């Protein structure tokens, strides 16, 4: 066994260990060609198909995302338009409410002034009625007092109603004319 080992050791000195034997190169090339054929015939088409499907899914997803984004942008624009319209409508309603409020306030002032004028007119007519009543009462009282004074001064009774009324009216007319102090003035 020693001699075989030596022969192998002597023969191995000419052989380069980095260069494989020709039969190894041949069988390696055959295996490589078979693997390359199987790889290109079956694996590469499937891999290409999967990559194409993924690419289409990604492109479809991007297209969907762009469509959704465009739809969202359109919805946002529509929302902003509706918001602007709502703000305009609110401003119009506020302005209309102000106008109606001013009209109501003006109407209330007019009504209040009319009511105040009516109350003042009613007060004037009531005062005039009371004044007429007081003048009538004063004339009557003044007439009685004048008759009493006349009876005391004359010393006789002035019992005639017609004479008494004529005397009272004449006395009041003289009083109005001479003194300048009228009951109605």
């Amino acid at each position: 066994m020693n001699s075989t080992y030596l022969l192998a050791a002597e023969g191995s000195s000419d052989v380069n260990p980095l260069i494989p034997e020709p039969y190894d190169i041949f069988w390696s090339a055959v295996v490589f060609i078979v693997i390359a054929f199987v790889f290109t015939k079956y694996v590469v088409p499937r891999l290409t198909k999967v990559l194409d499907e993924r690419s289409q899914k990604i492109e479809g997803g991007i297209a969907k995302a762009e469509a959704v984004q465009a739809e969202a942008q359109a919805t946002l624009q529509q929302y902003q338009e509706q918001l602007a319209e709502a703000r305009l409508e609110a401003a119009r309603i506020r302005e209309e409410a102000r106008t109606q409020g001013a009209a109501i306030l003006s109407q209330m002032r007019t009504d209040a002034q009319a009511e105040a004028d009516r109350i003042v007119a009613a007060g004037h007519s009531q005062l005039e009625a009371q004044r007429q009543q007081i003048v009538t009462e004063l004339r009557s009282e003044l007439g009685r007092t004048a008759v009493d004074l006349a009876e005391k001064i004359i010393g006789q009774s002035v019992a005639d109603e017609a004479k008494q009324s004529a005397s009272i009216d004449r006395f009041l007319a003289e009083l109005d004319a001479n003194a300048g102090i009228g009951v109605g003035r």
Side-chain angles (χ1 to χ4, degrees):
M1 190 125 157
N2 252 344
S3 65
T4 333
Y5 180 69
L6 286 173
L7 281 177
E10 285 177 15
S12 66
S13 64
D14 324 351
V15 179
N16 189 351
L18 295 175
I19 297 177
E21 291 294 323
Y23 65 87
D24 283 338
I25 292 174
F26 173 77
W27 287 114
S28 294
V30 169
V31 170
F32 178 75
I33 291 172
V34 169
I35 289 175
F37 175 77
V38 170
F39 193 78
T40 55
K41 186 73 172 169
Y42 298 108
V43 175
V44 170
R46 286 187 183 176
L47 184 61
T48 306
K49 182 180 174 185
V50 169
L51 291 176
D52 287 343
E53 287 175 359
R54 283 190 182 179
S55 176
Q56 288 175 355
K57 284 182 182 179
I58 290 171
E59 288 173 3
I62 290 172
K64 284 181 184 178
E66 288 173 353
V68 168
Q69 186 176 10
E71 184 180 334
Q73 188 67 26
T75 304
L76 177 63
Q77 182 68 25
Q78 184 181 12
Y79 168 74
Q80 288 174 345
E81 289 172 1
Q82 287 176 351
L83 185 61
E85 288 175 11
R87 285 181 179 155
L88 287 174
E89 181 70 16
R92 186 190 62 76
I93 289 171
R94 278 194 304 270
E95 188 60 35
E96 187 177 306
R98 281 189 199 116
T99 304
Q100 288 178 354
I104 290 170
L105 186 60
S106 175
Q107 181 65 34
M108 289 177 74
R109 283 182 182 152
T110 304
D111 292 348
Q113 185 63 40
E115 183 66 18
D117 291 344
R118 187 190 63 78
I119 290 172
V120 167
H124 283 306
S125 65
Q126 187 178 9
L127 282 174
E128 185 62 31
Q130 287 178 350
R131 182 173 97 33
Q132 289 296 332
Q133 182 183 3
I134 289 172
V135 165
T136 305
E137 288 176 6
L138 280 175
R139 282 184 184 254
S140 166
E141 187 66 33
L142 189 58
R144 275 187 247 131
T145 305
V147 169
D148 288 342
L149 282 175
E151 283 178 354
K152 285 182 183 178
I153 291 175
I154 296 177
Q156 60 180 338
S157 171
V158 185
D160 188 12
E161 282 290 322
K163 288 182 184 178
Q164 191 178 18
S165 179
S167 296
I168 291 171
D169 287 340
R170 189 184 48 155
F171 175 73
L172 289 175
E174 286 177 12
L175 187 63
D176 282 341
N178 290 335
I181 304 175
V183 178
R185 292 184 201 170

